Amino acid sequence: MSAETSVPRPRESGVDISDSGLLQGLLSQSPFAFAFFDPGGRFERVDEVFADVVGLPAERLVGRAPGELLSADLTALIEGSVRGIVAGAEVEGDQRIRVRTADGETHHWSLTFSPIHDDKGTLRAICLVGVDITDSRQVEEDLRRSEERYRSLVEAQSQLVWITAPNGVVEEDAPQWRAITGQGLEEYLSHGWLEAVHPDDRPHTEEAWREALRGRTMFEWSYRVRTRASGYRHFEVRAVPIIRHNRVVEWVGANTDVTPQREAEEMRGRLTDQLGAAALRTARLQGATAMLAEALTVEQVVQVIIDVGRTALAADRSAVALLDVDRAALKLVNSGGIPDVPGAPGEEIPLSHSSVMTMAVNSRRPVFAESPESLRSQLVDAGGDNEAITGFIAHSDERAWVGLPLLAAGRALGALRFSFTRPQKISQEDGVFLEALAGQCALAVERATLFEREHRTAETLQRSLLPDRLPVVRGLVLAQRFRSGSRHVQVGGDWYDAFVLQDGRVAAVVGDVMGKGVKAAAGMGRIRNAMRALALTNPPPAAVLTGLDRVFEATEEEEQVTTLAYMVVEPGTGEGTLALAGHPPPLLVSPQGVPLLCDGEPGTPLGWPTSRRQFRFCVPPGHTAVLYSDGLVENRKRGLDAGLADLCSVVTEAPAEVVGSPHMLLDFLVDRMLSGYEQDDDVTVLAIHVPLATKSD
């Protein structure tokens, strides 16, 4: 605090401090704290302000020494100042002291000591004048803290503070700027700071700075600054005009070093790109794996590989070849995977021939050729004919190649070939993705090969167990349709049968062994043979189903589910009996095309303990009974109830000539019921038609 807060020294001309009226008037009207000491340092007079400061009554202080009543620090200050004045020394003015009041508040006081002489120059007393500077001290403290916080904030944010004249000319030094850039003071002043800005950023920075000067608007910009080490760091700058009386008096700016943030952003960008690419590769691999898992045949697997090559790799051509171990050659599965140009391999590629596919199979490792030069070098090193290779490259539009071995448990199954009509950079991450893709393709090829082998076996077995032809019986017309779902799924356990019993009646059956493959086909064969034997011995439907239950319990597994519809019908009259074992109800079609579903008890599948029942089921002359498997009416998109309703609806749409012919009727029903749906099961249909009687009959 400056001495401006002190009061003027009292006049020293003949003042008689014993004049109580004069002194009391002075003290009572003053906001200052007054105290008078004799040359010995004892209190002579104090005002109420001083008494309040020290927390003691004025009458108690008078005549006492400060050390007897006051705190140690205040006593030391007073006694030291009094001794100094008595000794004729110059005593420092504006001495600061902190005093705690009776209510616990802290106040700051500025104390000034002055000598009082009489007319003869004799020291009569020492005057203490105190000024309460608590408020101004708080302002000072707040200002100091604000400055410290600002300085700390600037330093923490790596900010460089600078000041320019109103016209933007640098006239004051900025040591932090020069410490970073290495500029000398003369180099920095005026517009020299621009020389440290990166040449590519300098023109735009200068123009933006001049625009801010013209408009007296905030200047916000970013640029690169050359450092003392000749590198560059990124800075963001913000400058504001200081305006007084509508005039710019100066510009104050701060540069913030944002290099770490920029580097972090660039790193995050690179990591984001890498993670995005990795996520994309993972998603593509998952998609390819899902599609390969649904592919059942080698043909379907090859199509998936071609699709993946086009979508996931952006390959222009994709080729798949399987290994023929006996012939030591690769056989192309798909046509068009290799361009038909001079020097290109044919559909059968001997392992001794040098190509990306044979190299991949022989080495059990991927082959990457990112350019024609790389391909030529690798093929020649592998023993290929340089002239033939050069001719192939010259005539082909391909410019990059990938060869991948198809390996299952270390055993080579074949190879993949992807080609591009442009040079292709294969990164390490791409290589890992391609190897993983090849592994999934190899598993799919192996699975499809085994499936096709089992499928052929099961289909042969299934066909062998179905009757070659239906019996020809007077007074009855039999027709069947069997459409295998094996094009898309494994062979199932559907079957049909019809044979003449000993009494001349005809037994007809349609059954379904749940499951797929050889196991289902074999189970179907056992049940069919057992049913024939039981029917020829004891033909009533209830007796046959009861016997089949016992056979089923003895020969089939508990989880096996088998259903069937079995009927015995009298030729000519159509009188018959029917029993169901958990099978869809037969359909009766009138000559007028009116459908009627049998409402007999559906029963339970074979092997379930139940009392088997049969009921009358008549096929009047002119009518047709249709037995069918669930593949006709039920699929993944259509439930059984909806399928039965659709079946009845289709019958009503059949023309008269179709209704009158069991063969045409079955074709009509199968075509219409499967239209718009993907067949995912075998479809078995058996028609029993009783023709109208004629005169010749």
Side-chain angles (χ1 to χ4, degrees):
M1 179 66 67
S2 67
E4 294 178 2
T5 58
S6 303
V7 298
R9 294 177 181 269
R11 296 180 60 187
E12 300 183 1
S13 59
V15 178
D16 183 3
I17 61 174
S18 63
D19 186 347
S20 59
L22 173 63
L23 185 59
Q24 187 63 36
L26 174 65
L27 299 181
S28 63
Q29 298 299 320
S30 173
F32 304 109
F34 284 99
F36 296 91
F37 302 90
D38 62 23
R42 291 181 178 277
F43 285 101
E44 289 190 351
R45 283 183 181 275
V46 298
D47 66 352
E48 292 299 326
V49 177
F50 185 87
D52 289 341
V53 170
V54 299
L56 295 170
E59 57 270 15
R60 186 177 175 186
L61 293 171
V62 174
R64 307 289 291 273
E68 298 176 16
L69 300 171
L70 304 184
S71 62
D73 54 347
L74 183 56
T75 297
L77 189 150
I78 292 174
E79 290 181 347
S81 299
V82 169
R83 284 197 301 270
I85 291 176
V86 171
E90 186 71 25
V91 178
E92 179 183 357
D94 189 22
Q95 300 187 65
R96 305 292 179 88
I97 191 167
R98 184 172 55 186
V99 178
R100 184 178 296 276
T101 63
D103 57 4
E105 293 185 359
T106 299
H107 283 253
H108 295 270
W109 288 82
S110 173
L111 305 182
T112 301
F113 293 87
S114 304
I116 300 178
H117 298 87
D118 58 14
D119 293 338
K120 298 178 179 181
T122 302
L123 179 66
R124 293 292 306 276
I126 295 93
C127 175
L128 180 154
V129 179
V131 180
D132 188 345
I133 60 171
T134 302
D135 292 341
S136 60
R137 178 64 181 269
Q138 186 62 45
V139 172
E140 288 181 355
E141 183 66 19
D142 291 344
L143 180 59
R144 182 185 62 81
R145 289 183 178 179
S146 177
E147 291 177 349
E148 289 177 349
R149 290 169 181 168
Y150 174 73
R151 187 180 304 107
S152 299
L153 183 62
V154 170
E155 293 176 355
Q157 295 184 347
S158 302
Q159 288 189 328
L160 311 179
V161 179
W162 47 267
I163 299 174
T164 75
N167 60 358
V169 174
V170 176
E171 296 178 344
E172 295 186 24
D173 191 11
Q176 289 177 295
W177 172 275
R178 295 196 299 107
I180 290 177
T181 62
Q183 286 184 310
L185 180 59
E186 294 301 323
E187 293 177 301
Y188 168 66
L189 294 177
S190 186
H191 298 288
W193 62 274
L194 279 168
E195 296 301 318
V197 176
H198 193 286
D200 294 343
D201 301 339
R202 192 178 302 157
H204 299 292
T205 299
E206 185 175 8
E207 177 59 30
W209 174 232
R210 294 187 183 281
E211 184 65 26
L213 292 173
R214 287 192 294 268
R216 302 198 306 179
T217 58
M218 179 183 295
F219 175 60
E220 291 183 290
W221 203 251
S222 61
Y223 47 70
R224 289 165 289 177
V225 175
R226 184 186 65 248
T227 66
R228 184 187 298 271
S230 298
Y232 283 91
R233 299 188 68 82
H234 293 270
F235 280 86
E236 289 183 353
V237 59
R238 175 176 293 184
V240 294
I242 306 301
I243 301 176
R244 294 175 187 164
H245 307 298
N246 202 31
R247 293 179 61 252
V248 176
V249 296
E250 63 183 6
W251 286 77
V252 178
N255 285 21
T256 303
D257 188 345
V258 295
T259 303
Q261 295 92 312
R262 288 292 182 90
E263 292 176 347
E265 289 175 1
E266 292 176 0
M267 178 61 72
R268 281 196 298 269
R270 289 192 294 269
L271 290 176
T272 300
D273 292 342
Q274 293 174 2
L275 290 174
L280 180 59
R281 285 191 292 268
T282 301
R284 287 172 173 173
L285 183 60
Q286 290 175 339
T289 302
M291 290 188 291
L292 289 169
E294 295 179 357
L296 296 177
T297 65
V298 173
E299 179 183 356
Q300 291 173 340
V301 171
V302 170
Q303 186 57 52
V304 170
I305 293 173
I306 294 174
D307 293 341
V308 170
R310 181 180 62 255
T311 58
L313 304 179
D316 296 290
R317 293 189 182 92
S318 303
V320 183
L322 299 182
L323 178 62
D324 186 334
V325 178
D326 296 333
R327 298 177 62 85
L330 292 172
K331 291 186 176 180
L332 285 176
V333 178
N334 63 310
S335 59
I338 299 178
D340 185 13
V341 297
E347 293 186 358
E348 183 172 296
I349 311 171
L351 292 180
S352 58
H353 178 79
S354 183
S355 71
V356 292
M357 300 177 81
T358 55
M359 287 173 60
V361 171
N362 291 332
S363 66
R364 302 293 199 273
R365 299 181 62 182
V367 176
F368 302 131
E370 300 177 345
S371 65
E373 293 73 20
S374 175
L375 177 68
R376 179 186 292 105
S377 174
Q378 294 186 62
L379 294 183
V380 171
D381 290 344
D385 181 79
N386 185 43
E387 184 176 349
I389 296 170
T390 301
F392 168 76
I393 293 175
H395 291 89
S396 174
D397 60 348
E398 298 174 336
R399 288 298 173 265
W401 299 262
V402 172
L404 301 171
L406 294 176
L407 304 175
R411 180 173 56 89
L413 303 178
L416 305 181
R417 179 186 189 273
F418 299 109
S419 60
F420 309 84
T421 56
R422 61 202 177 282
Q424 188 79 5
K425 181 66 176 177
I426 308 297
S427 66
Q428 183 177 359
E429 293 78 9
D430 293 334
V432 172
F433 166 75
L434 290 170
E435 289 192 63
L437 176 62
Q440 293 298 318
C441 292
L443 293 175
V445 168
E446 184 180 40
R447 184 176 60 250
T449 302
L450 293 174
F451 167 79
E452 289 185 346
R453 186 181 304 139
E454 179 185 352
H455 175 78
R456 287 192 296 269
T457 301
E459 187 173 24
T460 301
L461 177 60
Q462 184 184 38
R463 292 288 184 181
S464 68
L465 294 174
L466 296 176
D468 295 333
R469 58 182 179 275
L470 296 175
V472 178
V473 181
R474 185 181 178 85
L476 207 63
V477 178
L478 300 175
Q480 61 81 20
R481 292 294 182 271
F482 176 79
R483 182 177 293 185
S484 173
S486 60
R487 181 179 180 184
H488 303 287
V489 297
Q490 292 183 337
V491 171
D494 281 16
W495 95 91
Y496 65 90
D497 200 1
F499 49 91
V500 180
L501 300 174
Q502 293 180 353
D503 58 6
R505 290 182 299 168
V506 174
V509 61
V510 169
D512 186 2
V513 177
M514 303 300 175
K516 304 296 179 185
V518 174
K519 185 177 180 180
M524 177 263 284
R526 290 191 296 270
I527 298 301
R528 174 182 176 273
N529 292 334
M531 195 217 68
R532 271 210 173 206
L534 291 169
L536 291 173
T537 303
N538 189 12
V544 171
L545 263 59
T546 301
L548 285 176
D549 282 335
R550 292 193 294 269
V551 172
F552 198 91
E553 291 178 358
T555 62
E556 305 303 315
E557 298 178 358
E558 291 184 0
E559 64 271 15
Q560 181 62 271
V561 178
T562 299
T563 68
L564 59 83
Y566 170 56
M567 67 178 294
V568 176
V569 62
E570 180 76 33
T573 65
E575 289 291 334
T577 54
L578 172 71
L580 298 174
H583 206 76
L587 176 70
L588 186 64
V589 181
S590 72
Q592 293 77 30
V594 178
L596 178 65
L597 286 172
C598 173
D599 59 358
E601 183 179 345
T604 60
L606 294 181
W608 293 33
T610 183
S611 177
R612 296 297 179 182
R613 303 176 66 179
Q614 64 186 37
F615 47 89
R616 179 175 178 270
F617 185 75
C618 182
V619 185
H623 288 64
T624 302
V626 180
L627 307 181
Y628 52 90
S629 65
D630 60 356
L632 179 69
V633 294
E634 190 176 17
N635 53 48
R636 297 175 184 174
K637 297 182 178 180
R638 181 171 60 191
L640 179 60
D641 292 340
L644 294 176
D646 289 347
L647 180 62
C648 294
S649 177
V650 167
V651 170
T652 61
E653 299 172 359
E657 63 273 16
V658 170
V659 173
S661 168
H663 296 281
M664 295 175 63
L665 177 62
L666 293 190
D667 288 336
F668 185 83
L669 292 179
V670 172
D671 290 342
R672 288 296 185 91
M673 289 299 294
L674 297 184
S675 177
Y677 295 97
E678 181 180 358
Q679 184 181 348
D680 52 16
D681 198 1
D682 292 345
V683 174
T684 305
V685 190
L686 179 64
I688 301 97
H689 176 71
V690 178
L692 293 171
T694 63
K695 291 183 179 181
S696 60
D697 295 334

